[in-house]
């Protein structure tokens, strides 16, 4: 008796229990004696009751189907045909067998999936180390630059200003034009400059913004390029190779074919929505 | 230089499985490189069908070589993987693979039904399994193995379900056609035997008393059944 | 199971070159595993000379197979390497590496606040940004840009956060002092957010935006100011 209790708990449903009963009989599903199967099934249900096990509704539905099949079989053959408009294809016996065969196939398929699952646990993909090419172009730049970070800082600052209109935190003494000249002067002297160095001496937000806008403008006008040697390296700013020579006076001496920089400098840069225009009238 | 060897070297060096599309993009990019040679340029517009043929040829060669690894295509992406029998040493080298807990029997059965019969409604799954599948559906959907794929053109327009790419990856399948015995299970034709064996001589005379067992339940119609948790669930 | 194939599977799956000693350690570890089978156990004390012989045999086999990769021993460590003639396509493959998704504006703002105000608690970041930052904090922590650095000496001892070395690398900074316009953002005074236990019921219903506006008075304390802004100049 106790073995039954164990069995009940592993049956997924009535079809599972029926397959178990058929397997115990060691017969093919097609050959199974449905009357005998019905009797055994109902015995199990009854046992489940005796053990106070909760019986799922599906088991009761199956029990009723089996009872119906069984009761039909007990009728003399000549009376069997007259069951309320039942067509040949709807014979509950065929329906049950079809259901069992179908369920059995999926149960077998589930077993195969299970072995695939276990197999995959033991399959290790080749995970080679990263390839390195020494003489190749620099790897992709980081997806975010200090421009973005600066912009984020400015956004935060701007919100703070809005919160406290009374506080006028700066008074501009810088213009973008001045910063353009400053940057070009530095580049002319040193050949190149690190991005961070440009901001080293900045004392206020407005100065940072002006320097930043000036830089964006010069990049946009293809006077300068930003380069990053190593993936996480310093951003280096240097003169663009094909830039028109503009020693000291770039504002009044635009490169041929380029947009005249002077009026542009007083507008918001188009290259990037990154920064707001300088706060000067 | 043979196409298959270029593909092999790419898959050998890639850090993740590569699809035919991704491989094609590599050939395009290589042909556009400044220092691209004639071979690289000649492969600029290699066709997907050529790539697939070369990949399959490659997979067959590695299968034949019967080494400790093979070239596998899982969910449409190609990758070198180890043969399972070397797992004991690989585990010692790289540690146990991080995998979610193994699937339960009900989950596997439900997955199998959905995999072979997709798109399929929840009610159809329940009809095949003969039990309520709400809880188990939730589990396999949360694990990303199954997803809603549309709606059935029947009353109420219930959602239909199908398996995901993750399902293929989890079981190491190239595609749904790779499922074991796929054809058979997709369309089960159950033959009607000449006559079902129902009555054995002697059994036909079973006393009616036995029929009384559970007679109260006999009247319960399927539609009226309240949802009850499955036993042992 | 042949020793050379086990070695092959190890070298094929390893992320770095393995020395004979490292390989020997793998065999020892595999033999000590709970579920070690007879083969694994029999190889517990495999000799270096056996390993070397098998590795050399393996290298010869791969040389003969003449595929797109070979087994090489460099500085005493064994590794599968691709043949140089496939470099054009491998370069294209590496160049196509998928970049991580861009940091969102909220993520950047949060990062900026932490960068300038570290060490800082989550609640303080929320005070400045005026919104809940849970999701965004998770993102930047997962990207390794921010980490917990200690605990604040306030009720509940909430963790404080700071930027990582990766943050500096990412933005090409030598150190935090390289951050542009650092003074101004450092100067914004933020009221310490109330500890959770002392929150008044009425406050809980205040929209976060308003909460932030009210509390984020810019109280510039003289003694905290390292430098005066340009205003005075």
């Amino acid at each position: 008796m106790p073995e039954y209790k164990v069995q009940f708990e592993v049956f997924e449903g009535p079809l599972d229990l029926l397959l178990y009963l058929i397997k115990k009989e060691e017969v093919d599903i097609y050959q199974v004696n449905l009357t005998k199967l019905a009797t055994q099934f109902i015995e199990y249900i009854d046992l489940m009751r005796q053990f106070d096990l909760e019986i799922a509704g599906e088991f009761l539905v199956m029990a009723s189907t089996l009872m119906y099949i069984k009761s039909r079989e007990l009728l003399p053959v000549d009376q069997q045909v007259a069951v309320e408009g039942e067509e040949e294809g709807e014979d509950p016996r065929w329906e049950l067998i079809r259901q069992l065969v179908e369920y059995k196939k999926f149960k077998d398929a589930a077993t195969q999936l299970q072995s695939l699952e276990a197999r995959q646990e033991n399959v290790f993909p080749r995970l080679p180390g990263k390839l390195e090419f020494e003489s190749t172009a620099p790897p992709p730049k980081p997806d975010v630059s200090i421009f973005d970070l600066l912009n984020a800082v400015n956004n935060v600052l701007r919100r703070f200003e809005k919160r406290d209109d009374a506080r006028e935190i700066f008074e501009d003494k810088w213009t973008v034009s001045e910063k353009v000249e400053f940057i070009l002067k530095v580049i002319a002297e040193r050949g190149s400059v690190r991005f961070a160095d440009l901001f080293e001496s900045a004392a206020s937000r407005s100065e940072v913004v002006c320097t930043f806008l000036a830089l964006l403008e010069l990049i946009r006008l293809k006077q300068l390029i930003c380069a990053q040697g190593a993936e996480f390296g310093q951003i280096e700013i240097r003169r663009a190779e094909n830039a028109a020579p503009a020693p000291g006076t770039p504002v009044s001496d635009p490169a041929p074919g380029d947009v005249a920089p002077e009026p542009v400098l007083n507008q918001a840069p188009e290259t990037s929505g990154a920064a707001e225009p300088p706060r000067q009238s | 230089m043979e196409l298959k060897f270029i593909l092999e070297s790419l898959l050998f060096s890639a850090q993740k499985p590569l699809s035919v599309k991704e491989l094609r993009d590599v050939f395009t990019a290589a042909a556009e490189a400044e220092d691209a040679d004639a071979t690289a340029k000649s492969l600029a517009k290699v066709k997907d069908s050529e790539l697939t043929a070369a990949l399959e040829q490659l997979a067959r060669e590695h299968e034949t070589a019967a080494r400790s690894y093979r070239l596998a295509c899982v969910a449409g992406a190609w990758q070198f993987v180890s043969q399972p029998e070397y797992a004991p040493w690989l585990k010692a080298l790289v540690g146990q693979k991080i995998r979610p807990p193994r699937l339960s029997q009900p989950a596997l059965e439900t997955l199998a039904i959905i995999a072979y019969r997709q798109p399929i409604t929840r009610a159809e799954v329940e009809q095949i399994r003969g039990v309520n599948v709400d809880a188990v559906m939730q589990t396999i959907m949360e694990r990303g193995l199954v997803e809603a794929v549309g709606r059935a053109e029947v009353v109420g327009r219930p959602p239909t379900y199908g398996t995901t790419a993750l399902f293929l990856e989890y079981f190491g399948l190239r595609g749904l056609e790779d499922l074991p015995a796929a054809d058979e299970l997709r369309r089960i034709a159950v033959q009607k035997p000449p006559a079902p064996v129902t009555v054995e001589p002697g059994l036909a005379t079973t006393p009616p008393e036995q029929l009384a067992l559970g007679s109260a339940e006999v009247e319960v119609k399927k539609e009226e059944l309240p949802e009850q948790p499955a036993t042992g669930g």
Side-chain angles (χ1 to χ4, degrees), chain A, chain B:
Chain A
M1 292 292 268
E3 69 179 315
Y4 286 140
K5 188 171 181 177
V6 176
Q7 287 296 346
F8 290 146
E9 299 192 354
V10 300
F11 292 127
E12 311 285 347
L15 293 174
D16 204 26
L17 173 51
L18 284 174
L19 285 182
Y20 166 74
L21 295 172
I22 293 167
K23 202 177 159 196
K24 241 177 49 169
E25 289 292 306
E26 294 180 334
V27 290
D28 186 88
I29 294 175
Y30 289 111
Q31 306 300 317
V32 78
N33 181 323
L34 287 177
T35 308
K36 198 173 165 193
L37 193 63
T39 309
Q40 288 177 340
F41 186 89
I42 289 158
E43 278 172 8
Y44 268 78
I45 299 286
D46 203 44
L47 263 169
M48 287 161 97
R49 260 201 211 92
Q50 286 175 30
F51 282 111
D52 274 339
L53 291 171
E54 197 176 1
I55 300 167
E58 294 97 354
F59 283 88
L60 304 180
V61 174
M62 183 55 74
S64 75
T65 306
L66 289 167
M67 289 300 297
Y68 174 62
I69 291 170
K70 191 168 164 177
S71 63
R72 255 170 127 259
E73 297 300 330
L74 293 172
L75 293 172
V77 178
D78 57 339
Q79 288 180 35
Q80 281 185 20
V81 272
V83 187
E84 39 177 304
E86 187 179 86
E87 285 172 35
E88 209 183 326
E90 289 175 349
D91 186 329
R93 297 171 302 179
W94 302 132
E95 178 52 29
L96 182 62
I97 286 172
R98 190 198 62 76
Q99 221 183 338
L100 281 170
V101 169
E102 187 176 47
Y103 178 63
K104 173 78 164 52
K105 295 209 172 173
F106 281 115
K107 237 179 122 59
D108 293 345
T111 308
Q112 285 183 289
L113 284 183
Q114 194 164 35
S115 59
L116 286 177
E117 180 187 39
R119 181 191 153 93
Q120 277 306 104
E121 280 169 24
N122 290 324
V123 170
F124 289 75
R126 172 174 157 79
L127 262 183
K130 282 186 186 173
L131 281 176
E132 280 165 23
F133 291 102
E134 280 171 24
S135 61
T136 192
K141 287 176 190 171
D143 64 321
V144 66
S145 71
I146 198 147
F147 293 96
D148 299 299
L149 191 70
L150 254 182
N151 184 39
V153 172
N154 282 330
N155 284 342
V156 174
L157 288 173
R158 199 159 58 223
R159 277 210 302 274
F160 257 90
E161 284 153 22
K162 279 186 195 146
R163 289 175 196 172
D164 189 358
D165 289 338
R167 182 171 175 262
E168 187 51 57
I169 55 158
F170 62 87
E171 171 190 298
D172 267 300
K173 63 172 185 176
W174 298 104
T175 65
V176 177
S177 302
E178 280 170 341
K179 282 297 180 188
V180 164
E181 277 167 327
F182 164 72
I183 294 168
L184 287 172
K185 186 165 153 279
V186 170
I187 301 282
E189 281 169 4
R190 301 199 227 162
S192 71
V193 66
R194 292 189 322 175
F195 181 84
D197 290 347
L198 278 181
F199 294 90
E200 219 164 40
S201 60
S204 71
R205 174 185 174 281
S206 64
E207 190 175 349
V208 170
V209 171
C210 284
T211 308
F212 180 52
L213 290 177
L215 191 59
L216 283 181
E217 205 48 38
L218 287 167
I219 292 166
R220 200 178 78 84
L221 294 173
K222 300 190 171 67
Q223 293 287 313
L224 301 179
I225 55 166
C226 263
Q228 202 165 22
E231 186 159 3
F232 294 120
Q234 286 274 358
I235 297 171
E236 199 181 61
I237 295 147
R238 60 172 182 267
R239 175 166 288 279
E241 276 169 28
N242 53 354
T249 56
V251 173
S252 56
D253 185 18
D258 265 346
V259 198
E262 188 145 35
V264 173
L265 285 175
N266 294 325
Q267 296 167 4
E270 292 155 25
T271 36
S272 160
E276 56 179 336
R279 294 274 207 102
Q280 50 189 338
S281 43
Chain B
M1 192 141 10
E2 266 189 273
L3 178 60
K4 68 173 181 186
F5 283 128
I6 303 173
L7 286 168
E8 186 184 65
S9 74
L10 286 169
L11 295 169
F12 173 86
S13 300
Q15 302 231 319
K16 67 178 199 68
L18 295 175
S19 66
V20 168
K21 190 199 163 300
E22 287 167 317
L23 287 164
R24 174 162 38 76
D25 288 347
V26 171
F27 282 98
T28 311
E32 281 165 3
E34 265 176 44
D35 53 352
D37 64 7
T39 316
K41 282 181 182 153
S42 73
L43 290 166
K45 287 182 198 295
V46 62
K47 286 193 198 113
D48 285 5
S49 56
E50 296 174 75
L51 291 175
T52 306
L55 287 163
E56 272 161 9
Q57 162 74 10
L58 209 51
R60 275 194 302 274
E61 285 179 14
H62 282 282
E63 205 67 49
T64 310
R67 305 210 69 95
S68 62
Y69 52 86
R70 69 194 162 89
L71 184 57
C73 179
V74 171
W78 295 80
Q79 187 176 34
F80 278 107
V81 297
S82 70
Q83 301 285 18
E85 56 263 41
Y86 301 97
W89 296 276
L90 290 171
K91 280 177 191 164
L93 176 71
V94 300
Q96 193 85 30
K97 273 178 93 174
I98 299 155
R99 296 250 300 178
R102 287 193 185 181
L103 292 161
S104 68
Q105 194 60 34
L108 285 165
E109 283 179 20
T110 308
L111 265 178
I113 293 167
I114 295 172
Y116 286 98
R117 290 291 175 84
Q118 55 192 302
I120 186 169
T121 66
R122 189 177 291 233
E124 286 165 339
V125 177
E126 290 188 345
Q127 207 170 2
I128 295 174
R129 288 203 56 225
V131 290
N132 178 294
V133 295
D134 286 351
V136 88
M137 280 293 283
Q138 201 187 335
T139 306
I140 56 180
M141 286 182 77
E142 274 169 9
R143 286 193 49 174
L145 301 169
V146 159
E147 63 188 356
V149 293
R151 290 191 174 273
E153 292 300 333
V154 297
V155 180
R157 293 181 47 74
T160 53
Y161 298 90
T163 51
T164 61
L166 186 64
F167 166 84
L168 297 175
E169 282 172 30
Y170 187 76
F171 292 103
L173 298 166
R174 179 170 178 174
L176 290 173
E177 67 286 351
D178 225 21
L179 282 167
D183 292 339
E184 197 196 354
L185 275 163
R186 284 211 189 104
R187 269 192 316 275
I188 291 179
V190 180
Q191 290 148 357
K192 218 170 173 179
V197 185
T198 46
V199 185
E200 265 181 16
L203 266 178
T205 59
T206 313
E209 291 85 78
Q210 278 201 17
L211 290 177
L213 271 176
S215 58
E217 283 73 42
V218 175
E219 284 151 31
V220 179
K221 288 183 194 157
K222 202 167 195 172
E223 304 81 60
E224 290 171 4
L225 275 177
E227 281 180 32
Q228 285 186 28
T231 349

